[in-house]
Amino acid sequence: MQFEKSELPPYSAVVVPDWRRRWSVRRSRGIRFVALACLAFIVYAQWRQIEPRPKTRSASQLSIEKLNEDLQICSKLRSKPQDPIGVGRARNARYVDGHKPTLIKNATIWIGEAAEGTSAEDARAGKGFSWVNADVLLEYGLIKEVRKDIDAKSLLYEPLIWDAKGRQLTSGIIDMHSHAGVDSLPDLVGNDDTNEMGSNITPYVRSIDGINVWDHQIQVIKSGGVTTSLVLPGSSNNIGGEAFVIKHAVGNPDGRNETSIADMLADPDRNWRYIKMACGENSKRTYGSAGEHGPTSRLGESYEFRHAFEQAAKLVQAQDDWCNVAESVGIESLNTYLPQELEWETLSAVLRGQVHVNTHCYTVPDLEAFVDHTNEFKFPVRAFHHAHQTFLVPEVLKRAYGDSPPASALFADNMWYKAEAYIGSEYAGKILYDNGLTPIYVSDNPVLNAQHVVFEAAKSFGYGLPYHVALAAVTTAPAERLGLGERIGKVKAGFDADIVVWDSDPLSVGAAPVQVWIDGTAQFDDPVELNKPIITPPGPPPEARAATDESVTTNDVVFTGVSKSFLSSDLQQGSHSKDLTVTISRGKITCVGTCEAELEIASKSGAKVVALKDGYLTRPFTIFGSTLGLNAIDAEKDTDNGGSPEVFSRAVDGLAFETKKLHYAQKYGVTRAISAPKYSSQATHQGTSVGFRTAAKHALEEGAVFADDVAVHYTLDLHAKSGSTSISNAVNTLRHKLLEAVDANATAADPFTEAAFLAKVVDGSLPLSITVHSADAIAAVLKVKEVVDKAVASSRGSISSGISLVIIGGAESFLLADELAAADVGVVLSPLLSYRNGWDQRRALTGAPLTNGTAVDQLVAAGVRVAVGIDEDWLVRDVGLLAGIAYKNGGGALSERDALDLVSSNVYDILGLKKKGTEDTREFVVFEGSPLEIGARVRAVGNGIGDEVTVYV
């Protein structure tokens, strides 16, 4: 029967089923179905064997004990640490039983906070802060009392009595950025545990696992009054790992019961945790490899951060979900343990607010990107470290997540060492404070010697930061940022008994501790005390001098109120009173004295008259041995003249002017520099040095270069092995070259070859300057000089004065002070204060209270001709202060003039350079305040170029 496609068949048309046939069909289909099911089961079984199964077990298979432990962790995950209390403790948890109380009598104390009743606004302005006379009682590792006239007889236990004799007393200094112990000194490969280089993102590593308790630098740092340091991993990694706060007391000699890292922890209860992160150049330089792995850019670094935070956030969410289920239905119903991943545990604790974040960030894009990360993932930052450009973007910092914007952990004036450090300001601390932010000064030890971190704060005061803020920047401010503001940083009852008594104002040049206490225990059995007068400070702190970058150039200017002149006495007219006038006409000094006639002429001509308070007129500073004029940014090859162990060249051929370094050199009174090409790295030399003026625009400008070839330079410090494979070979090669020069033809076809210059060395017309620190290598050089001198005398048939030898570096030169004096060898200390950072400097003197003086003191005492150089160019701002350290800590061996000569005329004397008789009238510096003291301002510079004087207003 046929039907249309659109029609349904009528009911009667349905065929009656054939049951036997249908059963046959069903049986056939059933067999096929069973076969397919069996096949499916086999496939499924095989798949189950291959496919990884979820790591779950039935509740009956899980350990109830482990589940209970996990449940207890839930409460810890949700807890937020609180700053540990200070007041209310009966004893310090770090106190060692058996230590007697100590009563410090007759101290002049900086409490660390404004007087009670001072409003927050007034306190910020510095009101209510003062030095106060009182006694301090230390007991059970705590400060028990601070008040006048504490009677020792009234105490329950007889104390040790220590008379401060009116000296200034502060809390222990706190360094919030140090690598002491993980970057041990002297620098040896086997002792370097600063960075974990296996991966860029390493939140799981901990500095506590690498702190070397035998690092001598820990003791050196303490000798500068530093009692507490935050020891961070390095900055090669975007996320470097956990940091730990230590106190600088190690083992029995420091009053501890045991020698261990755990015993050094400032907070034994570990209330807060800390982590180091880093933005910018370091990570992309260290880990970036194009086409292989990143980051190769700041863009990639931001992804690295965000991806890491994302992983940590996932862990936080998984843990929170588990804890919520466990608490709602009970652990018996759970089929997994609490999710835990060691790799992300620390970073997840960051997102829970349990870890204080400290981030190395220099530039605006780095800072802004990281602030964005804080808001995306909801975590605060305690401080940006280095933070060179934070002063330019205070509003960006204020946008960071959290209740309080990040502090800026700064150097006072260390910059230009890489591209991201090129933009910065010595006034950054003041600018930040004026914008409601917190400046903190740090060492980044061993980048800077943390022994002198208080000097960073002192310089910030000199750059205009209020006194109370500058001192807080190494005491109360870092204490608060570490979450330990109720325990350290102030001299108050209930605080840890970490105390320093100083030989002079802690914010003055050369200030050194007389004694240091940590947890109430004196740290030095027989400290060296420098011979300084005890000066009781006025109650209110001194005011910071106004600071400015503004300057004008003029031909004619008059300065009144000059207290001292250190120029030639021939220039001075009339009275030698302490109220001198200095007149300058057409860029030259025309009168120093009463100058009545010159004043009258100046008033008629409309010349600018500048009234000074305690003015100083000095020779300009000269720097020998830096890379000034040959480098603009230390780590950037394109800005550098270059150098190689295989190359002998003339610095005059590579001079480059008008750099930021040279601008600041002139601004701070360095009008001349003598620089040599590099041997292999900064502070190494090979070739001939050039003498030039820092204000010149180019080498052809009149007066730009005052000596084409000043000295012949070689390097015999540890870097010498990079070109000679051994120190012995380097010494032998030098001796061989000099002896060849003795026998060589005096007239060379090319007067600019190495051999031609060495001929001048052996005939005494050019000095030989050797960069060397080790006393052993210096002894070898003296023996070379002796051999060559004899050869010269023998060759020329007459007695020769010998080669003129100069040592630059000289960390261990004091060990040969008598021999150097006998051989008439001059020493340019560069740096002035070595801190044993290299093996060849391991015997250097670090100064009071550990050693009786430093190298400069012993060299001067032996009659060695001494000058002071700089091994890093950023120190151009500090040249006068370096001379001031030698003056203030020299025990009266140096006068002010002697100290200033260390950075001026002594350089020329050592190198045999003669100065023209008229130079004093065209090259000079006018200071307001002593250039040897904190806070002095350069008010005018005569740079020897043209007829103009630069006046700073």
Side-chain angles (χ1 to χ4, degrees), residues 396-416:
V396 170
L397 268 63
K398 293 175 183 178
R399 291 205 298 266
Y401 180 82
D403 299 331
S404 176
S408 292
L410 308 160
F411 301 136
D413 49 18
N414 183 2
M415 50 194 75
W416 315 324

Side-chain angles (χ1 to χ4, degrees), residues 559-566 572-582 592-596 599 614-617:
F559 292 95
T560 62
V562 174
S563 302
K564 295 182 181 180
S565 170
F566 293 93
Q572 194 156 324
Q573 302 173 12
S575 169
H576 287 257
S577 71
K578 291 188 176 182
D579 188 13
L580 303 173
T581 296
V582 177
V592 178
T594 53
C595 306
E596 293 176 357
L599 269 173
D614 191 25
Y616 275 61
L617 176 63

Side-chain angles (χ1 to χ4, degrees), residues 173-180 183 185 217 221 226 228-232 248 362 385-386 388 408-412 414 417 440-457 459 473-474 478 835 872 874:
I173 301 301
I174 302 165
D175 185 3
M176 197 172 159
H177 188 135
S178 180
H179 304 293
D183 197 352
L185 299 182
Q217 184 66 2
I221 291 168
V226 178
T228 305
S229 294
L230 176 62
V231 178
L232 297 153
H248 288 257
Y362 286 80
H385 290 241
H386 299 295
H388 277 52
S408 292
L410 308 160
F411 301 136
N414 183 2
Y417 46 89
I440 292 171
Y441 289 93
V442 297
S443 72
D444 194 11
N445 186 88
V447 172
L448 300 183
N449 180 5
Q451 175 189 8
H452 302 301
V453 71
V454 73
F455 187 46
E456 295 299 293
K459 288 188 290 183
V474 288
Y835 51 106
E872 296 183 79
W874 62 270

Side-chain angles (χ1 to χ4, degrees), residues 561-566 612 614-618 896 900 925-931:
V562 174
S563 302
K564 295 182 181 180
S565 170
F566 293 93
L612 302 176
D614 191 25
Y616 275 61
L617 176 63
T618 76
E896 285 184 298
L900 290 168
V925 185
V926 178
F927 290 90
E928 189 160 33
S930 168

Side-chain angles (χ1 to χ4, degrees), residues 391 410 425-434 437 439 441 465:
F391 77 99
L410 308 160
S425 172
E426 61 269 48
Y427 308 125
K430 182 179 189 306
I431 294 169
L432 288 162
Y433 189 74
D434 289 346
L437 297 170
Y441 289 93
L465 191 65

Side-chain angles (χ1 to χ4, degrees), residues 585-859:
S585 177
R586 300 188 65 183
K588 294 183 180 181
I589 295 175
T590 56
C591 178
V592 178
T594 53
C595 306
E596 293 176 357
E598 287 80 1
L599 269 173
E600 185 177 349
I601 294 171
S603 64
K604 290 180 179 179
S605 66
K608 184 177 181 63
V609 178
V610 180
L612 302 176
K613 182 179 179 181
D614 191 25
Y616 275 61
L617 176 63
T618 76
R619 295 186 182 94
F621 302 142
T622 298
I623 289 302
F624 177 50
S626 72
T627 63
L628 290 175
L630 299 173
N631 176 281
I633 304 173
D634 297 354
E636 291 291 333
K637 291 182 179 180
D638 287 353
T639 77
D640 184 58
N641 173 62
S644 165
E646 290 77 36
V647 175
F648 184 96
S649 62
R650 303 171 71 214
V652 69
D653 296 330
L655 272 179
F657 291 91
E658 294 198 309
T659 64
K660 188 179 285 190
K661 289 181 178 181
L662 295 180
H663 165 77
Y664 278 93
Q666 174 177 291
K667 178 184 173 183
Y668 284 90
V670 179
T671 68
R672 292 185 174 208
I674 301 170
S675 301
K678 288 179 182 176
Y679 172 77
S680 60
S681 62
Q682 193 156 344
T684 65
H685 311 96
Q686 182 159 288
T688 65
S689 50
V690 60
F692 65 97
R693 289 183 170 89
T694 58
K697 292 180 173 59
H698 52 77
L700 298 181
E701 186 175 13
E702 184 178 355
V705 176
F706 63 82
D708 285 343
D709 299 288
V710 175
V712 174
H713 292 256
Y714 293 99
T715 291
L716 288 177
D717 67 5
L718 295 177
H719 295 90
K721 291 185 281 188
S722 65
S724 297
T725 70
S726 70
I727 300 295
S728 56
N729 185 48
V731 172
N732 186 57
T733 300
L734 175 63
R735 178 172 48 236
H736 178 70
K737 288 180 178 180
L738 289 168
L739 290 174
E740 277 194 330
V742 172
D743 296 329
N745 189 338
T747 57
D750 182 352
F752 303 114
T753 64
E754 181 178 9
F757 284 116
L758 285 173
K760 293 183 178 182
V761 168
V762 298
D763 72 17
S765 59
L766 269 185
L768 176 65
S769 177
I770 305 297
T771 300
V772 59
H773 286 291
S774 164
D776 305 302
I778 293 172
V781 173
L782 289 176
K783 290 170 68 176
V784 168
K785 172 177 164 55
E786 183 181 5
V787 169
V788 175
D789 287 349
K790 287 179 180 178
V792 170
S794 174
S795 172
R796 308 207 173 163
S798 62
I799 298 175
S800 169
S801 60
I803 61 175
S804 174
L805 179 62
V806 179
I807 300 298
I808 183 167
E812 295 185 356
S813 60
F814 69 95
L815 292 169
L816 295 161
D818 292 337
E819 290 80 1
L820 290 166
D824 195 26
V825 174
V827 177
V828 180
L829 290 170
S830 179
L832 170 66
L833 302 173
S834 168
Y835 51 106
R836 308 180 180 187
N837 51 323
W839 183 254
D840 56 348
Q841 302 180 45
R842 68 190 185 279
R843 293 172 286 188
L845 298 175
T846 55
L850 288 180
T851 67
N852 189 9
T854 60
V856 66
D857 303 305
Q858 297 207 18
L859 292 171

Side-chain angles (χ1 to χ4, degrees), residues 47-302:
W47 174 78
R48 288 288 291 171
Q49 290 179 5
I50 296 172
E51 184 72 9
R53 304 180 192 181
K55 296 180 181 179
T56 60
R57 286 179 279 180
S58 64
S60 62
Q61 294 179 305
L62 296 181
S63 165
I64 295 299
E65 181 180 1
K66 176 68 169 68
L67 289 169
N68 271 315
E69 290 174 358
D70 286 356
L71 186 59
Q72 291 172 11
I73 291 173
C74 288
S75 62
K76 293 179 181 178
L77 293 175
R78 291 169 176 163
S79 66
K80 179 76 178 288
Q82 300 297 314
D83 291 359
I85 64 165
V87 176
R89 293 179 294 167
R91 56 187 281 152
N92 185 339
R94 288 178 44 84
Y95 172 69
V96 175
D97 288 333
H99 285 211
K100 296 183 69 173
T102 297
L103 178 59
I104 303 173
K105 298 286 292 181
N106 190 28
T108 304
I109 301 169
W110 185 261
I111 301 297
E113 67 182 19
E116 190 175 351
T118 306
S119 69
E121 183 179 358
D122 284 347
R124 186 167 181 82
K127 297 178 181 178
F129 286 89
S130 65
W131 290 95
V132 296
N133 294 109
D135 302 337
V136 182
L137 175 63
L138 313 178
E139 189 175 25
Y140 295 120
L142 300 174
I143 299 172
K144 284 292 186 178
E145 272 192 287
V146 181
R147 64 176 175 85
K148 283 190 174 184
D149 302 324
I150 298 176
D151 185 359
K153 295 179 181 179
S154 67
L155 302 177
L156 183 61
Y157 301 104
E158 181 183 0
L160 301 170
I161 298 178
W162 200 92
D163 187 2
K165 300 177 183 177
R167 293 185 186 87
Q168 288 164 276
L169 180 153
T170 69
S171 73
I173 301 301
I174 302 165
D175 185 3
M176 197 172 159
H177 188 135
S178 180
H179 304 293
V182 292
D183 197 352
S184 301
L185 299 182
D187 186 18
L188 297 173
V189 172
N191 286 342
D192 184 2
D193 292 298
T194 318
N195 297 281
E196 171 47 52
M197 308 291 280
S199 174
N200 179 36
I201 303 297
T202 58
Y204 44 83
V205 303
R206 310 181 304 173
S207 68
I208 195 174
D209 297 322
I211 294 174
N212 175 12
V213 297
W214 306 121
D215 180 7
H216 181 66
Q217 184 66 2
I218 291 172
Q219 301 298 327
V220 172
I221 291 168
K222 179 171 59 183
S223 76
V226 178
T227 56
T228 305
S229 294
L230 176 62
V231 178
L232 297 153
S235 56
S236 291
N237 307 50
N238 283 141
I239 300 180
E242 280 201 65
F244 289 80
V245 183
I246 66 165
K247 290 197 181 182
H248 288 257
V250 184
N252 294 127
D254 295 346
R256 309 303 301 167
N257 274 345
E258 64 177 76
T259 301
S260 69
I261 304 167
D263 187 64
M264 296 170 68
L265 293 178
D267 177 16
D269 297 326
R270 306 192 190 190
N271 287 278
W272 282 106
R273 296 167 67 185
Y274 310 88
I275 193 170
K276 168 73 176 295
M277 302 185 189
C279 319
E281 287 186 38
N282 290 6
S283 180
K284 63 177 185 167
R285 269 206 318 259
T286 304
Y287 296 100
S289 181
E292 296 181 14
H293 49 78
T296 63
S297 68
R298 286 179 164 84
L299 287 67
E301 288 188 13
S302 274

